[in-house]
Tab-separated table of all heavy atoms in Angstrom:
chain	number	residue	atom	x	y	z
Y	65	ALA	N	43.274	140.191	19.310
Y	65	ALA	CA	43.638	140.013	17.905
Y	65	ALA	C	45.090	140.414	17.627
Y	65	ALA	O	45.680	139.780	16.834
Y	65	ALA	CB	42.668	140.939	17.110
Y	66	ARG	N	45.528	141.383	18.375
Y	66	ARG	CA	46.927	141.819	18.184
Y	66	ARG	C	47.904	140.774	18.598
Y	66	ARG	O	48.762	140.448	18.015
Y	66	ARG	CB	47.193	143.036	18.857
Y	66	ARG	CG	46.770	144.243	18.403
Y	66	ARG	CD	47.337	145.447	19.116
Y	66	ARG	NE	46.808	146.670	18.681
Y	66	ARG	CZ	46.997	147.820	19.293
Y	66	ARG	NH1	47.660	147.878	20.368
Y	66	ARG	NH2	46.501	148.994	18.777
Y	67	LEU	N	47.460	140.194	19.814
Y	67	LEU	CA	48.331	139.076	20.310
Y	67	LEU	C	48.359	137.809	19.299
Y	67	LEU	O	49.402	137.287	19.072
Y	67	LEU	CB	47.929	138.633	21.732
Y	67	LEU	CG	48.746	137.599	22.326
Y	67	LEU	CD1	50.166	138.117	22.669
Y	67	LEU	CD2	48.172	137.124	23.690
Y	68	ALA	N	47.173	137.490	18.875
Y	68	ALA	CA	47.136	136.363	17.918
Y	68	ALA	C	48.092	136.646	16.590
Y	68	ALA	O	48.580	135.726	16.080
Y	68	ALA	CB	45.688	135.994	17.527
Y	69	CYS	N	47.826	137.824	16.197
Y	69	CYS	CA	48.683	138.244	14.999
Y	69	CYS	C	50.121	138.183	15.324
Y	69	CYS	O	50.900	137.680	14.476
Y	69	CYS	CB	48.305	139.695	14.638
Y	69	CYS	SG	49.210	140.269	13.129
Y	70	ARG	N	50.597	138.675	16.573
Y	70	ARG	CA	52.083	138.635	16.818
Y	70	ARG	C	52.430	137.131	17.049
Y	70	ARG	O	53.633	136.820	16.721
Y	70	ARG	CB	52.255	139.448	18.000
Y	70	ARG	CG	52.139	140.924	17.651
Y	70	ARG	CD	52.544	141.748	18.894
Y	70	ARG	NE	51.940	143.045	18.829
Y	70	ARG	CZ	52.371	144.099	18.130
Y	70	ARG	NH1	53.401	143.883	17.340
Y	70	ARG	NH2	51.779	145.262	18.040
Y	71	ILE	N	51.622	136.357	17.728
Y	71	ILE	CA	52.004	134.969	18.036
Y	71	ILE	C	52.345	134.196	16.532
Y	71	ILE	O	53.194	133.444	16.495
Y	71	ILE	CB	51.092	134.135	18.730
Y	71	ILE	CG1	51.035	134.773	20.221
Y	71	ILE	CG2	51.279	132.695	18.771
Y	71	ILE	CD1	49.973	134.255	21.044
Y	72	GLY	N	51.743	134.577	15.604
Y	72	GLY	CA	51.958	134.010	14.218
Y	72	GLY	C	53.243	134.435	13.751
Y	72	GLY	O	53.745	133.774	12.937
Y	73	HIS	N	53.853	135.383	14.296
Y	73	HIS	CA	55.196	135.909	13.940
Y	73	HIS	C	56.307	135.428	14.844
Y	73	HIS	O	57.153	136.106	15.071
Y	73	HIS	CB	55.269	137.436	13.708
Y	73	HIS	CG	54.334	137.951	12.571
Y	73	HIS	ND1	54.655	137.679	11.280
Y	73	HIS	CD2	53.134	138.570	12.658
Y	73	HIS	CE1	53.666	138.242	10.503
Y	73	HIS	NE2	52.797	138.792	11.337
Y	74	ARG	N	56.020	134.369	15.633
Y	74	ARG	CA	56.831	133.768	16.576
Y	74	ARG	C	57.102	134.614	17.755
Y	74	ARG	O	58.290	134.526	18.365
Y	74	ARG	CB	58.269	133.475	15.883
Y	74	ARG	CG	58.080	132.337	14.906
Y	74	ARG	CD	59.357	131.939	14.318
Y	74	ARG	NE	59.041	131.110	13.147
Y	74	ARG	CZ	59.998	131.200	12.156
Y	74	ARG	NH1	61.003	131.952	12.026
Y	74	ARG	NH2	59.668	130.351	11.020
Y	75	ALA	N	56.292	135.514	18.115
Y	75	ALA	CA	56.562	136.279	19.328
Y	75	ALA	C	55.860	135.545	20.495
Y	75	ALA	O	54.985	134.768	20.395
Y	75	ALA	CB	55.812	137.638	19.241
Y	76	THR	N	56.462	135.709	21.721
Y	76	THR	CA	55.914	135.080	22.865
Y	76	THR	C	55.374	136.047	23.860
Y	76	THR	O	55.747	137.145	23.954
Y	76	THR	CB	57.094	134.212	23.689
Y	76	THR	OG1	57.992	135.219	24.023
Y	76	THR	CG2	57.565	133.237	22.680
Y	77	ALA	N	54.323	135.699	24.408
Y	77	ALA	CA	53.634	136.563	25.469
Y	77	ALA	C	54.516	136.634	26.739
Y	77	ALA	O	54.836	135.565	27.252
Y	77	ALA	CB	52.261	135.936	25.854
Y	78	VAL	N	54.875	137.819	27.098
Y	78	VAL	CA	55.630	137.936	28.273
Y	78	VAL	C	54.937	138.456	29.476
Y	78	VAL	O	55.126	137.962	30.507
Y	78	VAL	CB	56.803	138.986	27.898
Y	78	VAL	CG1	57.763	139.307	29.107
Y	78	VAL	CG2	57.645	138.466	26.805
Side-chain angles (χ1 to χ4, degrees):
R66 283 187 186 174
L67 183 62
C69 179
R70 293 185 199 282
I71 288 176
H73 294 288
R74 298 185 191 144
T76 58
V78 178

